[in-house]
Amino acid sequence: MEDMLFYDRMQFAFTITFHYLFPQLTMGLSLLIVVFKGQYLYTKDNRYNDAAKFWMKIFSINFVMGVVTGIPLEFQFGTNWAKFSELTGGIIGQTLAMEGMFSFFLESSFLGLFLFGEKLLGQKLHFLTGFLVFLGSWASGLLIIATHSWMQYPVGYEILENGKFVLNNFSALFSNPWLWPSYIHNQLASVVTASFVVGGVGAFYLLNNQHSKFGKLFLKTGVITGLISSLLVAFPTGDWTAKNVVKYQPITFAAMEGIFETEDGGSEIIIIGQPDIQNKKLDNKIAIPNILSFLTYQNWNREIKGLNEFDEKNHPTNISGLYYAYHIMVGLGTIFIALMGFAMLQLLRKKLYKTKLILWAIIFMIPFPYIANTAGWYTAELGRQPWLVYNLLRTADGISPTVSSGNTLFTLLGFIGLYLLLGLLFLIVIGKIIYKGPHIEKQ
Amino acid sequence: MEIFWYIIVVVMLAVYMILDGYDFGAGIVHLFIAKTEKEKKAIRNAIGPFWDANEVWLIAVGGVLFFAFPTLYAASFSGFYLPLIMILWLLIFRAIGLELRGQIHNLIWESIWDKAFGIASLLLALFFGIALGNIVRGVNLGMVENGVSTQEAHFFFLPLWNPSFSPYAEHLGIIDWFTVLLGIIGVISLTIHGANWIIFKTDSTLNKLLKSIIFKLNFVLVALVIISVSIWHIINPKPFHNFIDHPWIWIFPFITFTGLLGLFKVKSFRKDGYGFIFSSLFLFGGFTTTVASIFPNILPSTNAVNPSLTVYNVAADQYGLSVGAKWFIISAVLVVVYTIIIHKVFKGKMDNIKYGEH
Ligand code: HDD
Ligand code: HEM
Ligand code: HEM
């Protein structure tokens, strides 16, 4: 039983972490492509159209990766989490089915038109198809996060005698207080990823003295959207989500922040430190007094409960992992703001394209929004443990009763091998497209 | 409400078979029949802008099954664990075979992805046929051993095969001679179907050859269908009782035979799309006939201890099903609109679009 649970969790964690590397770029990039295409319609400057077309190529390959790695997730609810699906399918199945019907059809139908239909459709309609692809991908983000929010903070349900969860209020799924802050935060974070990718490719062209015209355009766009989205990710949306956690999952919040003891007269904010779970304390800590109480409650002296006040059997199962995930996300978020802020300053002073240090830094930072996004999801998911549906259904009670651990390990290894291959191919192909650069259409 | 959702699921599955089915069939033709680069390219063009939207039908039907029939979803997905995961792997190979091939011009690269696309399509067609076979044959629900359930009444697990390959062995496997028979029917009918699509959407030099292949394969298909119908009663003790109780469902076998007969005239059709219509009729009829023959069962039980899974004992509660119906109807209308739009824009022959080239 123990190792069945372990492999089921590993497989889900591995496959979803890999999946989310792609949709975050899909969602962010679809917005930037719409922006490029819109600028083209507005200015009639071909450079923008070429830029949109260039990013579409990358988008389409990234999209396919998202599709093929997304289908296993939906299947896994049934294959590996059968008990969970049986008990809650009547509720979370709603939002998942809506995702398929409303967003995936929209996205995949119009993507074909957007990729192959420019000549057939004319520019205005072509812009419209691009916009619909964007809408589809953001709708899919909304519906998946609505599903996820229900697991974090279940609403609109009733539990029958046989343990089944049944829906009794459909609209509650969408007015869930967990949903909107989480959704907006997450979408902005996907724009951060896309901004660093677009800006990073621009910086690469400039440093390499290649396609400089596009290099400047990409870098400028990346820096502008990157600064805006990094700021909004931290404040107000990061703040909103953190407040939800304090309110609805105080024990998770204590673990995220690394607070073991409740402090009288306001909690400190921990910048650095290593949790020592055995002795229930934090080693090597650097902290600033009272800030955390202020950030959470706008009150310097308000008390925040520490982990030691809660029953140990409801503690998150991986406190150190949760603590690091959260601190990595927030730490990186701070660095993004600093870097993009500095780049913006140079842009305004018209020195950006020559400041090599920033160009190098932006290229070097391309992987980090991916890390921050992943860390954010680990914060959310490790924080939910040991619950599958918060406070109602334990993770251990959700797995498929008949699938033995040997079978799960077999498929897990298969996924690992296959995804390593996919990742490698993806990098090769994308690298080639980036190296070749945008294709310049004659007037 | 259960019946409403049951019909939705069946129709969506049939649409999925018809749409993604032609992609699989095209893949099989690509693997065995297309020889020159030009022929292969025509095939990829014929399915390029569509396969992704077609695959969404699978995702969508998965979602609908999940919320309308959660118990069925949970029981069957965990019970058919291994083949389902393998289907996922094959779908991955099919997709990257199509999408990555054109990205790098190198003979080795191209031939690897050609094979990946073709072989994955072939195996997918086989697996889906086998899956249908498993549903007709039923499974050991509750994993009964010596008259006692070892699991909750609706859960089960099947290995890929057991050494006897027999559909009525004590310990069943997913692959046995009966399910393989349906798997082969799947491969042949989808090959015909995919060939029809290629004829419809391209002016390829292959088209003439494909017509004669369809004509020949159709004899094989008819023979296999006759064999499977005549042994159906070994697998399912009362195969025709629904047809006796509700004579109107004879419409489904009738559709199947219309499809089969129509296909014999493939060489003399005036319009290239006709063949595709008939093979779609065959697929639709074949699938609906099969599910109608076991209704209201969805997954029959092979033991006497636990009851079969039926439309009624696996559905979600009424409130969920009825709010679901509201948004579903809206979304279904939208899907129809999108489908019409893309097929309008990409109407006619598609030899000259630039699919997968950069
Ligand atoms: C570029 C990525 C990125 C960056 C820089 C940040 N976040 Fe974040 N965060 C995410 C990407 C992300 C995410 C991946 O999008 C998550 C996972 C779940 C979700 O909805 O968004 C998330 C979740 C998440 C959660 C957990 C919510 C839960 O338990 O469900 C909190 C409390 C925060 N964020 C707070 C912050 C704060 C205070 C930040 C200050 C800088 C911050 N995030 C920066
Ligand atoms: C893309 C972002 C996501 C990432 C990176 C992510 C990551 C993870 C990780 C690391 C785990 C394992 C936790 C553990 O076992 O300790 C997990 C579990 C799980 N997550 Fe997520 N998750 C994401 C989004 C979602 C969403 C949107 C849903 C729901 C629709 C979801 C549902 C689940 C389920 C059902 C499990 C298995 C049960 C469990 O271990 O709690 N996840 N996820
Ligand atoms: C348990 C969690 C998840 C499941 C079951 C899931 C399921 C899927 C499926 C089936 C696809 C293929 C869609 C197609 O054919 O077009 C897909 C793609 C996609 N997913 Fe996920 N997904 C999960 C997590 C996430 C998360 C956390 C997000 C973002 C918030 C997300 C956003 C997307 C988007 C935008 C796509 C479109 C394809 C792409 O962007 O590459 N998914 N997902």
Side-chain angles (χ1 to χ4, degrees), chain B residues 276-312:
Chain B
F276 181 72
I277 294 177
F278 284 108
S279 52
S280 302
L281 286 178
F282 171 73
L283 291 173
F284 181 82
F287 179 64
T288 46
T289 308
T290 312
V291 296
S293 78
I294 60 172
F295 185 87
N297 288 352
I298 302 184
L299 191 59
S301 169
T302 55
N303 60 55
V305 181
N306 293 310
S308 301
L309 299 185
T310 68
V311 183
Y312 306 103

Side-chain angles (χ1 to χ4, degrees), chain A residues 56-328:
Chain A
M56 260 157 57
K57 282 185 207 163
I58 294 185
F59 179 93
S60 69
I61 294 178
N62 190 68
F63 178 81
V64 170
M65 293 286 166
V67 171
V68 297
T69 56
I71 303 172
L73 294 176
E74 182 178 317
F75 274 46
Q76 274 180 92
F77 284 120
T79 52
N80 297 67
W81 301 93
K83 203 63 207 169
F84 167 60
S85 303
E86 184 195 353
L87 297 177
T88 64
I91 299 180
I92 61 166
Q94 292 265 357
T95 35
L96 284 174
M98 286 175 79
E99 182 180 19
M101 292 301 296
F102 282 106
S103 37
F104 292 153
F105 273 116
L106 183 65
E107 233 181 327
S108 55
S109 308
F110 287 98
L111 182 63
L113 288 180
F114 193 55
L115 289 176
F116 309 111
E118 187 180 356
K119 297 243 160 55
L120 295 169
L121 291 168
Q123 291 304 332
K124 288 226 173 77
L125 283 178
H126 191 235
F127 171 79
L128 183 68
T129 56
F131 181 77
L132 291 174
V133 171
F134 155 76
L135 199 70
S137 75
W138 282 52
S140 106
L142 176 67
L143 289 160
I144 200 81
I145 290 188
T147 313
H148 178 256
S149 300
W150 187 84
M151 294 167 60
Q152 296 281 1
Y153 185 67
V155 289
Y157 67 92
E158 199 179 319
I159 301 179
L160 304 182
E161 267 160 36
N162 57 13
K164 282 199 181 149
F165 291 66
V166 299
L167 186 65
N168 62 15
N169 183 350
F170 177 74
S171 60
L173 296 177
F174 294 92
S175 54
N176 186 340
W178 199 282
L179 169 60
W180 292 99
S182 187
Y183 175 61
I184 300 171
H185 182 68
N186 186 69
Q187 298 312 96
L188 287 164
S190 77
V191 179
V192 175
T193 300
S195 304
F196 272 83
V197 170
V198 171
V201 170
F204 173 77
Y205 286 157
L206 289 176
L207 282 176
N208 221 10
N209 241 336
Q210 206 191 353
H211 318 294
S212 313
K213 205 171 69 167
F214 289 102
K216 287 181 184 161
L217 174 62
F218 295 166
L219 182 62
K220 187 171 125 195
T221 312
V223 167
I224 296 173
T225 53
L227 180 63
I228 299 174
S229 56
S230 307
L231 281 171
L232 294 175
V233 158
F235 191 85
T237 64
D239 186 46
W240 289 340
T241 48
K243 283 183 172 142
N244 263 338
V245 181
V246 191
K247 193 159 159 204
Y248 301 113
Q249 301 183 357
I251 180 168
T252 307
F253 189 72
M256 265 159 56
E257 297 282 359
I259 316 173
F260 287 95
E261 296 295 338
T262 311
E263 279 180 273
D264 291 333
S267 281
E268 56 193 10
I269 192 158
I270 289 151
I271 312 283
I272 293 180
Q274 292 81 33
D276 173 351
I277 309 295
Q278 279 73 32
N279 301 311
K280 305 208 165 49
K281 65 182 183 50
L282 206 69
D283 295 337
N284 310 322
K285 119 181 131 174
I286 300 181
I288 314 172
N290 295 46
I291 300 279
L292 187 61
S293 292
F294 178 74
L295 287 178
T296 3
Y297 294 112
Q298 280 75 46
N299 174 345
W300 298 99
N301 302 320
R302 181 85 182 253
E303 173 187 289
I304 292 179
K305 280 204 174 128
L307 274 172
N308 296 347
E309 292 207 18
F310 298 92
D311 187 347
E312 214 163 302
K313 82 176 194 303
N314 294 335
H315 278 188
T317 33
N318 185 349
I319 296 177
S320 351
L322 174 55
Y323 167 88
Y324 288 124
Y326 182 63
H327 281 77
I328 288 173

Side-chain angles (χ1 to χ4, degrees), chain A residues 388-426:
Chain A
L388 198 44
V389 179
Y390 204 72
N391 268 339
L392 297 172
L393 179 67
R394 292 217 172 232
T395 309
D397 299 330
I399 59 172
S400 301
T402 59
V403 181
S404 70
S405 57
N407 282 314
T408 321
L409 180 59
F410 170 71
T411 55
L412 170 60
L413 292 172
F415 274 116
I416 292 177
L418 191 53
Y419 282 7
L420 285 178
L421 176 70
L422 274 188
L424 192 69
L425 292 169
F426 176 77

Side-chain angles (χ1 to χ4, degrees), chain A residues 9 12-13 16-17 20 77 81 84 144 147-148 151 374 377-378 381-382 384-385 387-388 395:
Chain A
R9 286 170 70 172
F12 202 89
I16 198 166
T17 304
Y20 196 60
F77 284 120
W81 301 93
F84 167 60
I144 200 81
T147 313
H148 178 256
M151 294 167 60
T374 309
W377 277 104
Y378 275 68
E381 299 295 68
L382 294 176
R384 197 186 65 230
Q385 301 305 318
W387 303 100
L388 198 44
T395 309

